[in-house]
Amino acid sequence: MNKIGKYVLGIAALIFMTNCGNNNSNSNSGAMSSSKAEKVYVAPGEHDEYYAFFSGGYSGNITVAGLPSGRMLKEIPVFSQFPTSGYGYSEETKAMLNTSFGFVPWGDAHHPDISQTNGELDGRWIFINENNTPRIARVSLATFETEEIIELPNSAGNHASSFVTENTEYIVAGTRFAVPNPQRDMPISDMKGEFKGPLSFVSIAENGRMNLEFQLNMPGFNYDLAHPGRNKSHGWFFFTSYNTEEANTLMEVNASQNDKDYVAAVNWKKIVDYVKNGGGKKAPGTYAHNVYDDKTHMATSTMKEGVTMVDPREVEGAVFYIPIPKSPHGCDVDPSGQFIIGSGKLSTDLSVYDFDKMITAIENKDFVDDSYGIPVLSYENTLAGVVTQPGLGPLHTEFDGQGNAYTTFFISSEVVKWSLETFEVLDRQPTFYSVGHLMIPGGNSRKPFGKYLVAMNKITKDRYLPTGPELEHSAQLYDISGDKMELLSDFPTHGEPHYAAGIRADVIKDKSKKYYELSENEHPYAAKSEAEAKVTRNGNEVHINMTTIRSHFAPDNIEGIKVGDKVYFHITNLEQDFDVPHGFSIIGANTSEILVMPGQTKSIVWEPKREGVWPFYCTDFCSALHQEMQGYVRVSGKNSNVPLKYTLDE
């Protein structure tokens, strides 16, 4: 039988096993017992115990939910335009979506990670990666707004990020799709030995500002997922890599031929020192760096050129490969930093590596091979143990801080709890259906909170009322505070969550910004009082400095606008109260509305194409007289002599 025939037979077997796994039925027949309902119930006016930040996958954004209720609290726009707030449409935020390929209005957001201090979540920022156009974003957890996006040149498929080191010093981002580096025209069939998989080292300053310090030009495998070492293994980063075959076609077959692929162990501290001492060479690479300023309320985009490139073979003792079966995905580090768990998607076992054994193997030069000049350590001599046949299709592991690990199994649709001491399976619970990632709040830090586990399922099927061919992905909440896991509830998510990050609400909520201080607004077109509202013309460009407050605009009658003008509405919200935004839209605008927070200024462009009197209005219901919150713009012919005039109540 040829390899394609074997592959088809294997897939048929997996489908059979998956269907069998999905026959698990909830003992409550879909209805929660009263005790379960009590565990997830949050009374009206009460707050959830945890924030959960779900990646949106192909939505490009982050969805915020409360736990244990599962209530959606907010969607944070990051890599995609968002007409609800005007992100990516307003003149102030368009620059956030600039890339070296031009303006890209969409992104594929995968792995959120919360900033840390001494290995514990500190709640300052949340970072998230973008897979398609390789980027990393930083979101403020004071404002829940995206403050910075940096592009990663020479990379493709930024999947193995955006996980932060223990003191938020670095994010190290991988290349999932090996590519020529530098990019050039070459036959795809010549990729072997020619394509590369750069790892990007992004440093993070005390104020959160990111900087692409250098790239490590790794062999052209596919670097899929990663986690930094913590505690005793702080200073290292671990990446799973697949397609060590370096196949370029029918990857589902040809990239699964080797019995083992690799975990890449990278001593990032050693490489940082090497670069600081002048190591590495300047290489080409164009990338955008976009930063939002919450004083000016404006984003700026800087196009940068060139990056320091490091050859891993030139930094002795910094990079090693460890064999791992087979087509690995998840790469997770336990709270002590002692154990590194690799999940081979096509393996029936979980490999658990021992950091101390790895260091001993390096010191003893216990190498079994090399791959493109990078030493390959002994599999057996770095292994702490194996979790034997825990399930089918292992993907991701998180930890409860009580000596237990929890791993998802996609094919057998289950979460399995196992001991970090004995590597024995302790419990298993079905998921509905085909679970991908899981999240325990703080589960990828030194101190997990260890109360709840959220499973993020790839298939929903019959869990909710049907909504046409597609349903929102199902998340399921488990209580893990006892010896046995208990499924508490289902709730829908938005987009396709590939991962989530959770944190205790009390770490964040008291620091949440209520409004922007009007006195600190440095926007060049801000009108901080109605007396400062005005309309000015410069050729065919018109700027309207407008204010909004419950329940009128100033000015609200404008004349002297002409067909063909480019009209900028700069709206300043004069409110200084929590949760009182105002919206703005005008008929004929080829953009979204904008939602302006208290004390903030936002702008949209309107290019009138017809003569007439055109209304504008507030899009956010703000008061009992919200319906009266409107105004008019008179548009005259292109050659009209109607003078520019603006008024409020004459």
Side-chain angles (χ1 to χ4, degrees), residues 459-536:
I459 298 173
T460 303
K461 294 291 187 184
D462 56 2
R463 302 304 285 183
Y464 306 133
L465 288 171
T467 54
E470 184 191 20
L471 290 85
E472 293 281 36
H473 287 227
S474 168
Q476 295 185 297
L477 182 71
Y478 296 80
D479 181 344
I480 60 170
S481 60
D483 291 337
K484 299 295 183 181
M485 295 178 282
E486 181 183 22
L487 175 59
L488 299 179
S489 67
D490 291 19
F491 58 92
T493 58
H494 187 55
E496 183 188 359
H498 293 270
Y499 188 50
I503 188 171
R504 270 201 343 262
D506 59 16
V507 179
I508 294 177
K509 67 179 184 179
D510 292 336
K511 304 173 188 175
S512 186
K513 184 180 281 289
K514 305 297 185 185
Y515 55 84
Y516 295 94
E517 293 286 349
L518 195 60
S519 61
E520 297 175 1
N521 185 335
E522 298 175 7
H523 192 291
Y525 290 97
K528 298 183 184 181
S529 68
E530 291 184 359
E532 295 180 15
K534 61 183 178 179
V535 181
T536 56

Side-chain angles (χ1 to χ4, degrees), residues 170-203:
Y170 282 91
I171 291 169
V172 185
T175 292
R176 180 179 168 193
F177 310 125
V179 288
N181 183 24
Q183 275 285 8
R184 60 192 182 277
D185 181 11
M186 63 173 288
I188 298 172
S189 58
D190 291 347
M191 72 167 286
K192 195 164 187 175
E194 294 297 320
F195 283 19
K196 298 294 183 183
L199 307 182
S200 300
F201 284 66
V202 177
S203 64

Side-chain angles (χ1 to χ4, degrees), residues 355-396:
F355 179 73
D356 290 339
K357 287 187 174 182
M358 184 194 84
I359 295 299
T360 299
I362 292 169
E363 291 171 347
N364 294 339
K365 298 189 183 299
D366 187 4
F367 308 143
V368 296
D369 199 356
D370 80 83
S371 181
Y372 292 106
I374 295 175
V376 179
L377 300 173
S378 164
Y379 172 71
E380 291 77 10
N381 293 344
T382 54
L383 206 61
V386 172
V387 184
T388 305
Q389 297 186 333
L392 297 174
L395 292 182
H396 303 283

Side-chain angles (χ1 to χ4, degrees), residues 70-140:
R71 298 181 298 193
M72 179 177 168
L73 304 177
K74 186 181 180 69
E75 184 170 356
I76 304 172
V78 184
F79 298 112
S80 294
Q81 287 180 299
F82 193 62
T84 300
S85 66
Y87 178 85
Y89 292 96
S90 73
E91 294 303 294
E92 289 77 11
T93 58
K94 284 180 181 177
M96 294 300 288
L97 302 181
N98 285 342
T99 76
S100 62
F101 300 93
F103 179 83
V104 177
W106 169 85
D108 184 15
H110 275 242
H111 304 124
D113 203 24
I114 297 170
S115 55
Q116 298 186 14
T117 300
N118 297 324
E120 299 179 32
L121 306 188
D122 60 29
R124 289 176 293 166
W125 308 291
I126 189 163
F127 300 87
I128 191 165
N129 61 319
E130 203 275 289
N131 192 48
N132 182 65
T133 309
R135 290 172 283 176
I136 293 172
R138 176 174 57 85
V139 175
S140 166

Side-chain angles (χ1 to χ4, degrees), residues 65 221 237 241 383:
F221 311 141
F237 233 101
S241 64
L383 206 61

Side-chain angles (χ1 to χ4, degrees), residues 567-583:
V567 182
Y568 291 83
F569 287 91
H570 307 287
I571 314 298
T572 300
N573 183 345
L574 298 181
E575 307 281 0
Q576 293 289 266
D577 192 9
F578 178 46
D579 197 24
V580 191
H582 290 295

